[in-house]
Amino acid sequence: MHADPRVSIHPDSKVLMAAIAARLITKLVDVQDKHGEATVVLTGGTVGIGTLKAVADSAAAPAVDWSKVNFWWGDERFVAADSDDRNTRQAHQALLAHLPVDPARVHEPGSSDEFASADDAAADYADRLKAAAEAEHAADMSDTRPEEPGVLPRFDVLLLGVGPDAHVASLFPEQAAIREKNRTVVGVENSPKPPPSRISLTLPAINTAQEIWMVVAGEDKAGAVGLALAGANPVQVPAAGPVGRSRTLWLIDENAASRVPQQLVRKDPAGA
């Protein structure tokens, strides 16, 4: 049984990004205390990348053992590896280049330099996720280990931005990718937002995450946020679809919050 989404509203985008960064550092430390390592799925966009910069700038960042954090991405633009459009490149510039990460734990979706199509890159990413799940299963000595490995590793925190059209990752309204039920990763063509070719986790894959954090700022997102939290159909409003296994957090600024159902609003302190 999933708990209702929790909505935490911050005065503006700068305060929001600092609060998400503080929350993420605390969460990674907690998960590492429990499991020895932690896995985060990153997102692009203004808030996603701004949050990563805020993590890098935080005095608390060294509390995390960054060499034991696994990094994946919820989606990526299928362009050249050195393109500034790539979420991975922006994440390196904002965060990863400034921390003692283990390059073997940084799992970037393939680029157009490596693969002929977004579908091919998506299949490769799905294979790498499955291999990580199998390795995690083999290393798990607990009594609760399932008999068979899954197709995805444990995602401790998965970050998602929301577009004005309510898209999340590269799952756009009414398109085939948001309807996908079986695959974990899909290639996306004809994206309504350039560039047109992308790679994305599917909604079933996203919803395996322990915690999903929806990170949103800006008045142009208010309609999408309001519809998602009112329980719209994810095919029309993809942002309504993500639900974490243990928690779904909406971390938003005042501008994005103007149409949020009031009964969902809890002005929590960061880290709650």
Side-chain angles (χ1 to χ4, degrees):
M1 180 86 179
H2 296 295
D4 286 338
R6 183 181 292 244
V7 181
S8 183
I9 300 172
H10 300 77
D12 58 47
S13 61
K14 186 175 181 182
V15 173
L16 172 66
M17 291 185 287
I20 300 167
R23 191 187 283 267
L24 183 59
I25 289 166
T26 300
K27 183 65 181 176
L28 293 176
V29 169
D30 288 348
V31 173
Q32 286 184 338
D33 283 347
K34 183 176 180 183
H35 296 291
E37 62 179 30
T39 299
V40 60
V41 182
L42 302 180
T43 187
T46 304
V47 178
I49 299 301
T51 294
L52 299 186
K53 187 174 187 313
V55 170
D57 292 343
S58 172
V64 177
D65 182 350
W66 293 104
S67 71
K68 293 185 177 176
V69 178
N70 306 302
F71 296 93
W72 299 87
W73 277 263
D75 74 322
E76 184 54 286
R77 288 82 178 264
F78 186 64
V79 291
D82 63 355
S83 170
D84 287 336
D85 279 339
R86 279 183 58 93
N87 292 331
T88 48
R89 183 173 171 83
Q90 294 174 31
H92 274 280
Q93 292 169 343
L95 179 70
L96 300 177
H98 309 286
L99 298 173
V101 298
D102 178 355
R105 292 178 182 264
V106 179
H107 304 281
E108 299 186 9
S111 68
S112 61
D113 306 311
E114 304 167 90
F115 295 95
S117 71
D119 280 342
D120 290 345
D124 169 75
Y125 201 49
D127 287 345
R128 285 191 280 141
L129 283 159
K130 189 171 190 294
E134 289 169 349
E136 188 177 275
H137 184 268
D140 183 0
M141 297 301 180
S142 72
D143 294 336
T144 57
R145 182 175 81 160
E147 288 187 19
E148 296 295 329
V151 293
L152 293 165
R154 187 189 73 248
F155 294 152
D156 296 302
V157 179
L158 186 147
L159 300 169
L160 286 174
V162 176
D165 63 352
H167 82 267
V168 292
S170 284
L171 306 176
F172 293 90
E174 303 282 0
Q175 289 204 339
I178 188 60
R179 302 173 190 269
E180 177 64 42
K181 296 285 198 294
N182 299 314
R183 288 179 290 173
T184 56
V185 190
V186 288
V188 175
E189 300 294 350
N190 304 313
S191 159
K193 182 180 179 183
S197 296
R198 293 155 176 260
I199 303 149
S200 184
L201 293 182
T202 60
L203 190 56
I206 287 168
N207 285 348
T208 67
Q210 296 302 310
E211 294 195 8
I212 295 175
W213 298 4
M214 310 292 287
V215 298
V216 196
E219 196 170 353
D220 60 329
K221 315 288 181 68
V225 171
L227 285 170
L229 285 166
N233 185 320
V235 172
Q236 286 81 40
V237 182
V243 180
R245 282 185 170 173
S246 65
R247 190 148 72 151
T248 309
L249 293 175
W250 284 77
L251 304 169
I252 62 181
D253 74 350
E254 292 278 6
N255 287 330
S258 61
R259 300 188 197 176
V260 172
Q262 282 307 299
Q263 70 271 23
L264 293 177
V265 175
R266 306 178 203 177
K267 297 204 176 184
D268 301 326

